[in-house]
Amino acid sequence: MKKAILILMATVLVGGMLFAGGGQEEPAAMEDVMEVEVLHWWTSGGEAAALNVLKEDLEAKGISWVDMPVAGGGGTEAMTVLRSRATSGNPPAAVQMLGFDIIDWASEGLLANLNDVAEAEGWDAVVPEALQKFSKYDGVWIAAPVNIHSTNWVWANKKVCDELGIALPIRSWDDFIMALDKVKASGRTALAHGGQAWQDATMFDSAVIAAGGPEFYKKTMIDLDEAALGSATMKDAFDKMDQLRSYVDDNFSGRDWNLASAMVIEGQAGFQMMGDWAKGEFLNAGQVPGVDFVAFRTPGTQGTVTFNADQFVMFEVDESLRTAQNMLASAILSPTFQVAFNTVKGSVPARTDVSDAEFTIIGKTGMKELAEANSNGTLFGSMAHGHSCPAAVKNAIYDVVTAHFNGQYDAAQAVQELVKAVASAK
Ligand code: BGC
């Protein structure tokens, strides 16, 4: 009885808040179920800490959170679980998703329409264009963007670097190789890496830019230009991957990315090449930026930013679940949540009107570089994280990059395989 009254009060309150901007109040439905089931892959310590910000925010509004975690960066495993839930006609209310995956799901007609919330809260004016491209389908808002991550970063153990006389930040590829050599010579693992396709691909995005610059990245990973994909410059990108491979320890295969971060945190390794969600992991371990760890753009990629954005895609659910689903969408886009969440997660807000005051120096730099790259035309979607080309092409590129990284092809063969794989997937 008590619970029913509470639920009713929450519904009335939220109905009022949600639609206040639109000037009308939605009548509260007695039978509303105030819970949201959320499918996501935020299972590391830093990710879980960030997710808690959202859970607590919703719980304070009377919504219970039904957690559906599926480990695996890049979301490949999560998409497989989602497929089976959707096939049995029972998708979760909200699903963490990246870029082109969203478009694929939207084209199946299974997603909810968030336009009422989006209009009432003015999302069109504050969500960057590069994100709206994936948050909307046929003019309908189908997803609530949570953040913007960027992927071309190196994370360094400051004490290890100081001890070995490595000056940070490192700017050029050659200096990076020299630094890796020094760490390797000290008996540590030079490059902490987890051998999973999406992690190999994360390094490959940067190797492509370091080999051919931003124009080359655009031609190959976005325009899928056959001549550029098969060029000598692409061979240089694979040569760079071969160099990186020589600094990875013997146990890299299958390792989760956060365990690779832990190797840097604990000083067993010097560097990790990873998106800025790694910052959440360092912070969660009590590390202080500039004192314990330093982050810098992957050498050879300065001025270019490869990004991805996590969005919570809302599925068409039973009417009784819609108020809670709309409240989740509304909570995600609120400026206070955007700051509270992104300062923990390592990402930057998915709105253009949020101050950087609460962010660390790395977050402030990230926001500044993102804005600069955006106005210079050097902000690109990350291939590795589903924002440069459709999922089928991305998966075809993953296969070649991983096979090469594991020694199945030399660099010249990898170039040929890449051309073939992209041609048959696009
Ligand atoms: C997501 C991040 C996540 C990372 C590792 C990326 O694809 O965008 O939010 O932290 O995978 O799990």
Side-chain angles (χ1 to χ4, degrees):
M1 182 61 189
K2 241 186 179 168
K3 194 172 169 206
I5 294 172
L6 268 176
I7 289 173
L8 178 63
M9 278 171 56
T11 312
V12 172
L13 242 174
V14 169
M17 270 173 7
L18 249 182
F19 298 94
Q24 328 145 316
E25 293 236 334
E26 284 282 296
M30 187 61 179
E31 66 277 11
D32 277 354
V33 179
M34 299 305 279
E35 72 174 33
V36 280
E37 186 184 9
V38 184
L39 172 59
H40 63 89
W41 63 91
W42 284 335
T43 53
S44 79
E47 290 171 334
L51 195 63
N52 260 338
V53 175
L54 183 56
K55 282 187 197 167
E56 281 166 13
D57 189 49
L58 288 171
E59 272 160 15
K61 292 175 177 139
I63 302 184
S64 34
W65 178 278
V66 182
D67 205 35
M68 175 86 200
V70 181
T76 316
E77 286 81 2
M79 292 305 102
T80 308
V81 171
L82 174 61
R83 175 59 63 199
S84 72
R85 286 283 304 264
T87 307
S88 58
N90 176 32
V95 180
Q96 178 191 359
M97 227 183 261
L98 296 173
F100 282 87
D101 281 333
I102 304 177
I103 306 297
D104 283 351
W105 281 96
S107 67
E108 294 188 31
L110 298 173
L111 304 186
N113 181 333
L114 301 174
N115 276 2
D116 283 351
V117 192
E119 272 161 34
E121 299 185 353
W123 293 1
D124 273 295
V126 294
V127 174
E129 268 304 310
L131 267 53
Q132 288 196 30
K133 193 176 148 199
F134 301 108
S135 329
K136 285 163 109 174
Y137 187 75
D138 277 347
V140 174
W141 281 89
I142 47 172
V146 188
N147 60 13
I148 308 177
H149 272 300
S150 65
T151 60
N152 54 324
W153 291 97
V154 176
W155 305 85
N157 181 302
K158 172 96 166 44
K159 291 188 180 109
V160 169
C161 289
D162 286 350
E163 184 194 311
L164 300 174
I166 298 168
L168 300 175
I170 299 168
R171 300 268 173 221
S172 75
W173 186 266
D174 289 347
D175 285 350
F176 187 34
I177 297 300
M178 269 162 42
L180 288 163
D181 275 332
K182 281 190 186 164
V183 180
K184 192 173 177 178
S186 78
R188 299 175 178 92
T189 297
L191 188 62
H193 179 63
Q196 296 174 347
W198 72 272
Q199 295 188 59
D200 301 341
T202 301
M203 295 202 299
F204 183 69
D205 273 353
S206 285
V208 169
I209 300 168
E215 275 307 306
F216 183 68
Y217 181 86
K218 180 174 178 297
K219 262 193 176 160
T220 51
M221 298 295 111
I222 296 172
D223 303 339
L224 307 176
D225 178 281
E226 193 170 331
L229 285 165
S231 64
T233 311
M234 186 55 82
K235 175 163 177 305
D236 185 17
F238 280 106
D239 286 339
K240 287 186 161 45
M241 292 297 283
D242 279 329
Q243 281 182 301
L244 297 174
R245 174 71 182 81
S246 69
Y247 297 108
V248 163
D249 68 316
D250 290 343
N251 298 321
F252 81 103
S253 190
R255 175 188 288 138
D256 287 331
W257 69 272
N258 52 310
L259 300 182
S261 302
M263 290 166 70
V264 177
I265 291 170
E266 285 156 19
Q268 294 161 24
F271 302 100
Q272 180 185 22
M273 295 169 73
M274 188 44 64
D276 48 14
W277 47 90
K279 187 174 92 180
E281 217 52 29
F282 282 81
L283 296 179
N284 193 50
Q287 297 247 305
V288 180
V291 176
D292 302 306
F293 72 102
V294 171
F296 49 92
R297 291 289 171 188
T298 309
T301 74
Q302 293 88 351
T304 299
V305 173
T306 44
F307 81 95
N308 68 322
D310 294 299
Q311 310 219 20
F312 277 110
V313 173
M314 305 296 167
F315 276 73
E316 187 88 55
V317 284
D318 187 82
E319 217 182 320
S320 62
L321 295 166
R322 280 193 209 141
T323 302
Q325 187 182 50
N326 281 339
M327 284 172 69
L328 170 64
S330 169
I332 288 170
L333 261 296
S334 92
T336 42
F337 166 76
Q338 287 277 329
V339 172
F341 176 87
N342 285 305
T343 44
V344 180
K345 183 68 169 65
S347 37
V348 303
R351 302 178 58 117
T352 50
D353 60 344
V354 171
S355 148
D356 69 359
E358 307 273 322
F359 287 79
T360 63
I361 182 68
I362 303 172
K364 287 192 171 73
T365 311
M367 280 165 93
K368 197 169 136 272
E369 288 178 347
L370 196 80
E372 281 167 7
N374 191 26
S375 49
N376 296 338
T378 53
L379 174 66
F380 300 117
S382 156
M383 178 280 294
H385 295 272
H387 280 69
S388 82
C389 54
V393 180
K394 177 195 83 173
N395 290 331
I397 299 177
Y398 270 21
D399 288 348
V400 177
V401 168
T402 288
H404 166 260
F405 201 72
N406 287 289
Q408 201 175 315
Y409 309 130
D410 66 22
Q413 287 166 331
V415 172
Q416 287 173 3
E417 293 300 325
L418 185 69
V419 171
K420 277 196 263 168
V422 171
S424 61
K426 74 175 179 183

